[in-house]
Amino acid sequence: MAIKNLLPIALLALVHFSPLAMAQGSACAPGGTFDLSKWKLQLPTGKTGSPDEVSASELKGCNGYKSEYFFTSPDDGSIVMKVPGSPSTSSCVTTANSEHCRTELRENSPSKWSPSASKNRLFGDLIVKQINDDRVVVGQIHIDGSISTKPVCELYYSSKGDLTMGVNRCRTCGQNTFTVGHVPVGQRFTYEIRYESSILSVSLNGQAFQKLDTFNLENPDSYFKAGNYNQGNGPTEVHFFAIRVTH
């Protein structure tokens, strides 16, 4: 079993990572206080259809990558992920298969895994600081690109604080939506998404897991994503205190 943690180093010391001071704040890139070694970063900048990406090696360390869209909060030590809006309201760019901009971490080691395996889990601890309209995806499972351009599921947080999970009905289909819960905007919360032993489930704030129908997806190879995948036209800002992936 491999465990990949994206946690402040003060907590990572418990699992044998070298300590660094959280007081470094925004002067230090997120890679200086969080372990980003198993991820790559996708950004709302770049060329149309080809957004900028930042590798794990470029994210590493206090002098690693940071920008106006990805930095360490000087107030709470979290990773801040910002998106300026949509292509129609800002200069942000999207991937070839999406209409929406993102600042989002993409699991990159492993680059894919099987939902039939015994353990595939994504945990997030976060606050949605800014959302003006529509929704933002704060966590998702995506089907491996060799199979489909669609997600397995996306965890949406709305401007009213409602959390829902959209689950694709098949590898090329649209989504059915399931109610997950409610968290007021600006309030910290946790989620955990599991897709293991061929069962998809989600938990909010440590509550009982809700099993979700996977329809005709048939367990495609997949990977996790977490961050700020803006679904609306206004700017969004999400702060992550922890992201933990377990296989």
Side-chain angles (χ1 to χ4, degrees):
M1 178 184 71
I3 298 179
K4 296 170 290 177
N5 291 309
L6 175 52
L7 292 166
I9 293 298
L11 297 180
L12 287 175
L14 298 177
V15 288
H16 310 298
F17 283 83
S18 299
L20 284 174
M22 287 297 295
Q24 289 171 313
S26 61
C28 189
T33 50
F34 293 79
D35 179 15
L36 302 175
S37 62
K38 305 300 182 181
W39 303 85
K40 68 178 179 180
L41 177 66
Q42 298 174 312
L43 291 162
T45 57
K47 298 179 181 179
T48 301
S50 182
D52 293 326
E53 292 189 343
V54 184
S55 68
S57 61
E58 293 172 306
L59 292 170
K60 183 179 179 180
C62 191
N63 295 318
Y65 177 84
K66 63 180 179 179
S67 71
E68 62 181 305
Y69 301 119
F70 183 79
F71 58 92
T72 307
S73 169
D75 300 317
D76 57 30
S78 65
I79 293 180
V80 181
M81 302 189 201
K82 301 179 72 171
V83 176
S86 68
S88 64
T89 61
S90 73
S91 59
C92 72
V93 298
T94 72
T95 61
N97 298 302
S98 176
E99 299 176 354
H100 308 293
C101 301
R102 72 188 80 205
T103 300
E104 190 177 37
L105 290 166
R106 192 264 201 221
E107 188 180 18
N108 201 44
S109 182
S111 60
K112 63 180 179 179
W113 39 261
S114 171
S116 62
S118 62
K119 188 168 289 185
N120 300 303
R121 302 176 181 182
L122 169 65
F123 171 86
D125 179 357
L126 66 151
I127 295 175
V128 177
K129 286 279 191 176
Q130 182 181 21
I131 180 169
N132 295 319
D133 63 355
D134 212 276
R135 304 177 295 180
V136 58
V137 174
V138 295
Q140 64 169 299
I141 300 173
H142 203 283
I143 300 173
D144 181 65
S146 65
I147 301 171
S148 173
T149 61
K150 297 285 188 177
V152 168
C153 64
E154 295 174 305
L155 182 60
Y156 297 99
Y157 183 89
S158 79
S159 58
K160 296 181 179 179
D162 296 320
L163 283 135
T164 56
M165 183 76 91
V167 182
N168 275 55
R169 296 184 298 276
C170 73
R171 299 179 183 191
T172 58
C173 300
Q175 295 182 342
N176 277 22
T177 302
F178 300 88
T179 298
V180 175
H182 178 84
V183 176
V185 175
Q187 181 173 309
R188 185 170 172 175
F189 66 96
T190 65
Y191 69 76
E192 186 168 340
I193 303 169
R194 298 181 177 181
Y195 196 13
E196 56 192 32
S197 302
S198 303
I199 295 173
L200 177 65
S201 61
V202 61
S203 170
L204 179 65
N205 286 329
Q207 299 171 359
F209 278 84
Q210 176 184 354
K211 183 179 176 180
L212 304 172
D213 194 342
T214 51
F215 306 101
N216 296 311
L217 280 167
E218 299 180 341
N219 296 335
D221 284 348
S222 302
Y223 55 87
F224 287 119
K225 302 185 78 174
N228 179 349
Y229 181 24
N230 191 350
Q231 304 293 292
N233 291 317
T236 47
E237 180 177 333
V238 182
H239 291 215
F240 273 90
F241 298 91
I243 301 173
R244 183 168 61 248
V245 174
T246 310
H247 293 297

